[in-house]
């Protein structure tokens, strides 16, 4: 999902402001996201953990190679866009 970093950002901000539903939704999405590589879509094996993008924390990768490939294919821009968003802009938008 190309908008995953932004989605995780907004749900994280909502959770931080005390929205219980956002907290539960974020937990569920994280559980799903941790189950496959965001680049090659490989599914995790039992007890296996994929590495999470340290910047947006919204994508998981099975290997460093997949992470680099995804970064070059456009995740870099998605990550930057999500980190530049301001929660107040979202709340005040019509």
């Amino acid at each position: 999902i190309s908008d995953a970093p932004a989605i995780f950002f907004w749900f994280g901000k909502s959770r931080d402001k005390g929205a219980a539903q956002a907290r539960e939704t974020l937990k569920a999405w994280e559980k799903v996201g941790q189950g496959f590589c965001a680049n090659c879509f490989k599914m995790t094996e039992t007890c296996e953990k994929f590495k999470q993008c340290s910047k947006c924390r919204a994508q998981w990768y099975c290997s460093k190679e997949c992470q680099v490939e995804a970064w070059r294919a456009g995740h870099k821009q998605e990550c930057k866009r999500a980190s530049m968003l301001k929660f107040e802009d979202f709340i005040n938008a019509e």
Side-chain angles (χ1 to χ4, degrees):
I1 298 173
S2 65
D3 290 330
I7 292 167
F8 273 78
F9 176 85
W10 292 124
F11 271 96
K13 288 292 189 177
S14 297
R15 177 203 56 214
D16 295 346
K17 292 216 177 247
Q21 185 177 3
R23 181 176 36 255
E24 295 306 314
T25 302
L26 193 55
K27 277 185 194 176
W29 283 359
E30 284 177 344
K31 191 171 243 184
V32 170
Q34 292 171 9
F36 67 93
C37 177
N39 186 56
C40 71
F41 304 106
K42 173 186 169 191
M43 301 295 286
T44 58
E45 301 289 327
T46 306
C47 298
E48 181 183 22
K49 282 192 164 188
F50 286 163
K51 293 186 176 255
Q52 189 176 29
C53 175
S54 61
K55 187 169 183 132
C56 71
R57 305 185 58 80
Q59 302 285 357
W60 288 264
Y61 300 99
C62 64
S63 65
K64 182 71 174 172
E65 292 77 20
C66 270
Q67 185 177 14
V68 169
E69 189 175 314
W71 187 257
R72 291 179 180 158
H75 182 67
K76 179 179 182 177
Q77 286 76 27
E78 298 162 8
C79 236
K80 282 184 178 181
R81 189 179 76 222
S83 66
M84 291 187 308
L85 296 172
K86 292 197 168 106
F87 189 60
E88 292 75 21
D89 293 343
F90 177 71
I91 290 176
N92 296 325
E94 294 184 20

